[in-house]
């Protein structure tokens, strides 16, 4: 993965550093944040590489988190702020 897509490797590295014990309660807000910066396929790859979760399930859960069961804007922004404070540097290039 890192040789073929160094940007995705950076995402995985940062996720592992920010969430060393896994993601738990922040999972759905994280999926929304990742959906802003990754393709559907790369989101699944990154979640699998960082947390060992099924990439196809993660993709489906991300779609759900971005549509019908979206976490509150506050939860998403709180998590984004905590991630940034811990070194998250991946941003949406369309911002």
């Amino acid at each position: 993965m890192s040789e073929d897509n160094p940007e995705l490797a950076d995402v995985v590295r940062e996720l592992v550093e920010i969430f060393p014990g896994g993601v738990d309660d922040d999972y759905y807000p994280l999926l929304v944040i990742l959906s802003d910066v990754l393709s559907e396929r790369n989101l699944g790859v990154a979640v699998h590489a960082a947390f060992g979760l099924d990439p196809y399930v993660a993709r489906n859960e991300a779609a759900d988190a971005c549509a019908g069961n979206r976490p509150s804007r506050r939860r998403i922004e709180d998590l984004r702020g905590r991630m940034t404070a811990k070194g998250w540097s991946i941003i949406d290039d369309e911002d």
Side-chain angles (χ1 to χ4, degrees):
M1 174 186 60
S2 61
E3 296 167 5
D4 295 340
N5 191 335
E7 292 172 2
L8 189 55
D10 289 343
V11 170
V12 171
R13 179 185 46 76
E14 288 190 25
L15 288 173
V16 170
E17 289 174 4
I18 293 168
F19 300 99
V23 69
D24 295 331
D25 292 338
D26 290 323
Y27 181 63
Y28 288 97
L30 176 62
L31 292 176
V32 173
I33 291 168
L34 293 177
S35 293
D36 288 344
V37 296
L38 297 174
S39 70
E40 181 181 306
R41 179 187 176 283
N42 283 345
L43 183 146
V45 170
V47 168
H48 174 70
F51 308 117
L53 302 174
D54 184 290
Y56 301 103
V57 171
R59 288 165 51 178
N60 287 336
E61 291 172 336
D64 188 44
C66 289
N69 291 321
R70 188 174 180 91
S72 72
R73 181 179 177 128
R74 180 180 178 148
R75 282 190 68 202
I76 295 166
E77 292 308 315
D78 285 349
L79 178 58
R80 191 183 319 268
R82 287 184 283 137
M83 289 172 65
T84 300
K86 291 182 176 183
W88 181 250
S89 66
I90 312 300
I91 59 168
D92 183 353
D93 60 7
E94 294 181 11
D95 282 350

